[in-house]
């Protein structure tokens, strides 16, 4: 059996200086009595008593993240995204991307975590 490696890329797409799409890797797992959903690349997390509550909280927090990014000046937004480790794509000056997956594909300190790829489009 041959295994093929898949590259997972996190990215932020801007159009007309507004966020239109976010692609994030989200680790979801149980930590004691609570579930957490976390995206280390975006420094965003959600918590809840159930996995669904954690994901809903994460979704709410990513909406706040997008709102805050859209409120920033172009210079400040670019500086902030670079501070998170994102880089502008060479030929598309409004795209920022970051490849992040640990060597095991697992976040530490979570009980039975799973990695989910989530994509958001601004309405």
């Amino acid at each position: 059996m041959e295994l093929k490696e898949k590259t997972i890329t996190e990215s932020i797409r801007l159009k007309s200086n507004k966020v239109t799409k976010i692609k994030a890797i989200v680790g979801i797992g149980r930590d004691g009595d609570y579930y957490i959903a976390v995206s280390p690349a975006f420094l965003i997390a959600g918590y809840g008593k159930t996995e669904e509550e954690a994901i809903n909280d994460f979704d709410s927090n990513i909406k706040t993240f997008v709102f805050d990014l859209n409120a920033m000046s172009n210079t400040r937004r670019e500086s902030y995204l670079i501070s998170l480790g994102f880089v502008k794509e060479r030929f598309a000056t409004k795209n920022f991307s970051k490849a992040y997956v640990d060597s095991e594909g697992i976040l530490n300190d979570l009980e039975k975590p799973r990695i989910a790829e989530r994509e958001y489009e601004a309405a």
Side-chain angles (χ1 to χ4, degrees):
M1 176 171 73
E2 184 179 334
L3 298 176
K4 293 185 180 183
E5 181 178 331
K6 179 182 177 186
T7 301
I8 299 173
T9 304
E10 296 180 289
S11 62
I12 299 173
R13 171 78 173 131
L14 302 173
K15 187 173 183 179
S16 300
N17 295 318
K18 298 294 181 191
V19 176
T20 59
K21 185 183 283 189
I22 291 181
K23 193 171 184 181
I25 296 171
V26 181
I28 303 166
R30 191 177 181 116
D31 186 15
D33 292 337
Y34 292 89
Y35 286 86
I36 65 167
V38 63
S39 172
F42 291 97
L43 302 177
I44 298 172
Y47 301 87
K49 290 187 178 187
T50 66
E51 187 173 317
E52 183 178 355
E53 284 180 5
I55 292 169
N56 288 340
D57 190 44
F58 180 88
D59 290 349
S60 175
N61 292 336
I62 200 117
K63 287 175 186 174
T64 300
F65 176 80
V66 168
F67 178 83
D68 290 345
L69 275 180
N70 286 338
M72 292 179 185
S73 69
N74 292 338
T75 304
R76 186 168 179 221
R77 181 186 312 113
E78 182 177 332
S79 177
Y80 178 69
L81 292 173
I82 289 170
S83 78
L84 290 177
F86 290 88
V87 294
K88 274 188 176 181
E89 290 182 356
R90 187 172 178 186
F91 296 108
T93 60
K94 304 264 175 143
N95 288 343
F96 291 82
S97 62
K98 176 180 180 176
Y100 174 83
V101 177
D102 70 16
S103 61
E104 301 287 322
I106 298 172
L107 295 172
N108 295 320
D109 300 324
L110 296 177
E111 299 170 17
K112 297 182 183 178
R114 67 182 175 85
I115 302 297
E117 184 177 315
R118 298 184 59 86
E119 188 170 303
Y120 299 87
E121 290 193 39

